[in-house]
Amino acid sequence: MTGPQDIYFEDVWFSYNGTFVLRQASFSVPTKEFLVIIGPNGGGKTTLLKLMLGLCSPQRGKIILFGEYTPREASHLLGYVPQNTNINLDFPVRVIDVVLMGRLRGLKFLYTKEDRRAAEEALEIMGMDKYANAKMRELSQGQRQRVLIARALVSQPRILLLDEPTASVDVEAQRILYDRLRELNEKITIVLVSHDMTVISSYATAVACINGTVYYHGSKEITSEMLQMAYGSCPVELVAHGIPHRVLAKHDGDRDA
Amino acid sequence: MLEALQYEFMRNALAAAVLASVICGIMGTIVVSKKLVSMAGGVAHAAYGGIGMALYLGFSPQLGAIGFALASSLFMAWTTLRMASRADTVISIIWAVGMATGVIFSDLTPGYGADLMSYLFGSILMVAKEDILYMAILSLALCAFVPLFYGHLLAYSYDEDYARTRGVPVDVLHFTVIVLVSFSVVLTIRIVGLILVIALLSIPPYIAEKFCRSLAGMMATSFLLSMFFSVSGLAAAYTFDLTSGAAIIIIAAIGYLAAEVYLKFRKKPKGA
């Protein structure tokens, strides 16, 4: 526990309808960490993200952000990128209007010029400024994802929380996305839920395995040994569909290439 | 055709059609984009129970309708927040129970079922002055509410969880929308009847959704479509002596088909 801690969980328990998906979760995420959350489906990955965002409240334990706030109080410092697949594609909405949602605050009524400028800047950061007036439906999955990240960035958050940003995004678009995240990571903390093992081997500075509870591997070096240790302490083979070693080996190769 | 306007009931009908279009354009857009169409259907049919009860006990059917509509819609809103996955079942139950209640009360009411029939299929030609007043008030309220909370409504309709993280009071908004849907449904029942009210709430916005770039554009387009459908439906009803509500809906359905056909044969944009 050295340096400032952005996220702090102490003995957090959470249940849906009496079934605990999270027990005794205690860990802390230092500033500028690139944390990847992995675990089996239904293991509580999204729940963990929602707890950090204040969308769910724990039954027991406490969550402190930036050393002093509850997640609700800190919500203006958080940028949330929800799972793209939950979004209604037929919805008639332009890119710029989606990004402006990131400037909403409580009961604020109208957007100001500054809000619009911030929205355009965020789109530029994500390389999507040319598409400001396009309909969301007209974009590719990867482009849509970049718009959602722009929306999360427009409020200048200190933590960016992403739920499976690369689900159904093609490989090239994935690379662009991850490179952008790495650039952003120089300034802000990133928390990312993923099924994707590439991101762990090449981008993550810490890995949290979730399966009933949280196993936090907060190390600078995530070596193959580290990962194997991680697999030892939580059943990650479920995530990798029984072939964790093959997945790892393949990505080691990728990194050399 | 225009000579029809010398009759007061025709002028009232026209005013009612315009106001109903404002209401359906705005609320229909929210209902369709937020996928609350079956809830609106549930509300309309629950209202029938209230109308039946009012006719049996001898008080204002509007009052009975709004009472039942509000009670059922608040219950449905509460259910959808609590257990979203069971919402469609609960809505169907309320739908059926509302109808059954209405029918039982009409059985108990001595004499006639004619009045209840007029609520099933609508009676725009018999629309009363006070109905027009109520509709005008609701239209004004909607025209004030929507621009003021446009950003919030958009975020709530598009992406509820995200809206919550921005501090948008999603639950309050949800209940407000539900209450407004109840009022809209009950007042529109006068025009097209409860069986067809869902069509007027959903067909114009559903067509508009395919062509519009924003929620506001969808509301405006739905309003125009809605007005076109109801005025031409009214004209058809007057000319051919048809039931006005059914004529309006058939014209709306033809409009929907035309839009689909147009989209099918139009040059395809890239990536669509």
Side-chain angles (χ1 to χ4, degrees):
Chain A
M1 288 272 282
T2 49
Q5 303 293 320
D6 273 5
I7 304 172
Y8 176 70
F9 272 56
E10 186 183 292
D11 189 29
V12 171
W13 295 60
F14 183 81
S15 73
Y16 283 114
N17 309 320
T19 321
F20 278 95
V21 288
L22 216 59
R23 290 183 209 85
Q24 281 185 301
S26 296
F27 62 91
S28 54
V29 184
T31 300
K32 292 187 196 168
E33 190 90 280
F34 194 126
L35 172 65
V36 177
I37 300 171
I38 58 174
N41 281 329
K45 298 189 298 286
T46 298
T47 305
L48 190 67
L49 217 57
K50 289 190 170 177
L51 284 165
M52 292 173 179
L53 286 158
L55 289 173
C56 299
S57 305
Q59 274 80 11
R60 224 177 89 180
K62 60 179 173 190
I63 302 167
I64 298 168
L65 300 185
F66 310 110
E68 51 184 327
Y69 302 116
T70 64
R72 280 278 166 106
E73 289 163 355
S75 69
H76 60 291
L77 300 171
L78 307 178
Y80 175 40
V81 183
Q83 242 181 74
N84 189 349
T85 45
N86 293 345
I87 285 172
N88 175 10
L89 277 184
D90 290 330
F91 200 97
V93 67
R94 290 175 310 159
V95 166
I96 187 79
D97 292 324
V98 171
V99 179
L100 276 170
M101 287 177 202
R103 299 292 287 192
L104 280 174
R105 272 316 294 157
L107 277 179
K108 188 177 94 170
F109 289 129
L110 298 165
Y111 295 121
T112 61
K113 267 194 185 126
E114 201 190 315
D115 290 333
R116 290 184 188 281
R117 207 177 45 235
E120 280 157 17
E121 267 171 35
L123 279 173
E124 213 175 301
I125 292 173
M126 296 311 296
M128 288 299 292
D129 41 325
K130 286 196 295 292
Y131 297 91
N133 286 311
K135 244 164 121 171
M136 281 299 268
R137 181 169 46 189
E138 294 159 2
L139 306 181
S140 72
Q141 280 286 354
Q143 288 173 326
R144 263 198 290 277
Q145 200 57 257
R146 281 193 271 160
V147 172
L148 295 184
I149 295 175
R151 178 177 70 170
L153 289 177
V154 73
S155 56
Q156 304 199 308
R158 283 166 60 183
I159 309 178
L160 190 60
L161 303 106
L162 306 97
D163 199 348
E164 308 231 11
T166 53
S168 64
V169 170
D170 65 77
V171 180
E172 175 60 17
Q174 277 185 24
R175 205 186 45 75
I176 295 172
L177 217 65
Y178 283 138
D179 286 344
R180 283 294 141 108
L181 289 179
R182 177 144 57 189
E183 281 164 37
L184 291 167
N185 189 221
E186 287 164 16
K187 291 196 190 106
I188 60 175
T189 306
I190 289 184
V191 177
L192 188 149
V193 167
S194 188
H195 273 309
D196 176 8
M197 291 293 160
T198 336
V199 63
I200 299 171
S201 51
S202 358
Y203 297 90
T205 61
V207 174
C209 303
I210 305 189
N211 193 19
T213 188
V214 177
Y215 303 90
Y216 195 88
H217 307 286
S219 157
K220 286 268 173 268
E221 277 76 42
I222 297 171
T223 60
S224 305
E225 291 82 33
M226 257 300 303
L227 277 172
Q228 268 171 23
M229 259 168 62
Y231 293 143
S233 58
C234 66
V236 163
E237 56 272 16
L238 282 174
V239 183
H241 306 288
I243 47 165
H245 296 282
R246 212 173 86 195
V247 170
L248 264 182
K250 186 169 158 243
H251 288 136
D252 280 345
D254 281 355
R255 214 168 13 175
D256 295 338
Chain B
M1 193 67 243
L2 277 175
E3 85 275 0
L5 285 175
Q6 66 190 300
Y7 303 114
E8 195 190 353
F9 71 86
M10 244 0 231
R11 288 199 299 274
N12 284 348
L14 209 61
V18 172
L19 291 170
S21 302
V22 174
I23 295 168
C24 288
I26 293 175
M27 286 321 289
T29 294
I30 296 173
V31 161
V32 165
S33 55
K34 191 65 193 156
K35 302 197 168 126
L36 295 173
V37 177
S38 66
M39 181 189 278
V43 171
H45 288 80
Y48 191 73
I51 294 165
M53 182 190 251
L55 290 176
Y56 176 68
L57 295 176
F59 61 90
S60 153
Q62 286 293 65
L63 210 65
I66 196 67
F68 268 57
L70 278 178
S72 64
S73 66
L74 290 176
F75 181 70
M76 285 187 272
W78 178 76
T79 326
T80 43
L81 281 178
R82 279 300 172 92
M83 33 178 199
S85 57
R86 310 307 310 196
D88 72 324
T89 309
V90 174
I91 287 169
S92 306
I93 293 169
I94 289 173
W95 184 303
V97 171
M99 276 312 269
T101 312
V103 169
I104 297 275
F105 274 118
S106 90
D107 286 346
L108 294 176
T109 310
Y112 56 106
D115 242 23
L116 264 178
M117 280 297 281
S118 84
Y119 286 96
L120 280 180
F121 296 104
S123 52
I124 194 169
L125 297 176
M126 300 194 309
V127 71
K129 274 258 159 58
E130 64 190 62
D131 289 324
I132 292 177
L133 180 68
Y134 294 147
M135 287 169 79
I137 292 171
L138 180 62
S139 304
L140 279 176
L142 289 178
C143 288
F145 167 74
V146 168
L148 217 50
F149 295 98
Y150 185 71
H152 299 78
L153 271 174
L154 180 63
Y156 153 81
S157 315
Y158 188 59
D159 192 346
E160 212 175 283
D161 267 353
Y162 183 80
R164 275 182 217 277
T165 68
R166 298 312 308 161
V168 174
V170 169
D171 294 348
V172 176
L173 218 50
H174 188 59
F175 278 98
T176 309
V177 164
I178 298 299
V179 167
L180 289 173
V181 167
S182 306
F183 278 101
S184 305
V185 163
V186 168
L187 292 178
T188 322
I189 283 178
R190 293 295 285 184
I191 312 304
V192 289
L194 69 89
I195 293 175
L196 306 174
V197 72
I198 313 147
L200 200 52
L201 269 177
S202 57
I203 295 176
Y206 191 51
I207 298 172
E209 189 184 70
K210 298 172 192 303
F211 297 96
C212 292
R213 309 185 77 77
S214 70
L215 210 57
M218 190 169 152
M219 286 174 179
T221 312
S222 309
F223 160 68
L224 291 174
L225 285 172
S226 215
M227 207 155 74
F228 173 72
F229 295 148
S230 29
V231 171
S232 45
L234 214 50
Y238 178 84
T239 314
F240 304 109
D241 193 20
L242 303 169
T243 305
S244 55
I248 292 169
I249 299 301
I250 291 299
I251 289 179
I254 292 169
Y256 167 69
L257 274 178
E260 285 287 2
V261 169
Y262 169 76
L263 284 175
K264 187 123 189 115
F265 291 103
R266 186 182 63 166
K267 211 169 67 181
K268 282 227 160 74
K270 65 179 167 64

